[in-house]
Amino acid sequence: PLLFAQGKDVEHIENHYIVVFKNETPTSIFQRHLLSTKMVIGEENIGHVYKTALKGFSAKLTGDQLLEIRKNPFISYYFILF
């Protein structure tokens, strides 16, 4: 699901998301999906990689790229950066 903040004064950063993997995703699978994502969207479009409190990454994504990521069964949720 897509999570987002609400309010009239909230502005988001266009096409920038944080993608969060399910807690039970093995580290090896997370790393494999991160590597394949980097290959598809370009490493320059990956922001921060989260490995401690959660498994995930921030990235600049097109609409088509976001649709592909949403199909990944290991993704728990994603949200727009504000």
Side-chain angles (χ1 to χ4, degrees):
L2 172 64
L3 304 177
F4 58 94
Q6 295 181 340
K8 65 179 183 177
D9 296 329
V10 176
E11 293 185 29
H12 71 277
I13 303 171
E14 190 170 346
N15 298 327
H16 284 76
Y17 301 88
I18 293 181
V19 178
V20 180
F21 283 70
K22 294 177 181 173
N23 288 336
E24 63 271 12
T25 303
T27 299
S28 61
I29 290 176
F30 166 67
Q31 290 173 337
R32 187 173 72 224
H33 283 282
L34 178 61
L35 180 60
S36 66
T37 300
K38 285 180 179 181
M39 291 172 53
V40 170
I41 71 169
E43 191 162 351
E44 69 277 5
N45 290 311
I46 298 287
H48 189 77
V49 176
Y50 304 96
K51 298 178 186 175
T52 306
L54 55 86
K55 293 176 186 160
F57 59 89
S58 63
K60 182 176 182 182
L61 303 167
T62 66
D64 289 340
Q65 292 166 337
L66 184 60
L67 288 174
E68 283 302 310
I69 284 176
R70 290 178 60 192
K71 295 177 185 177
N72 186 328
F74 294 103
I75 300 297
S76 179
Y77 60 92
Y78 59 96
F79 57 93
I80 300 170
L81 282 176
F82 289 90

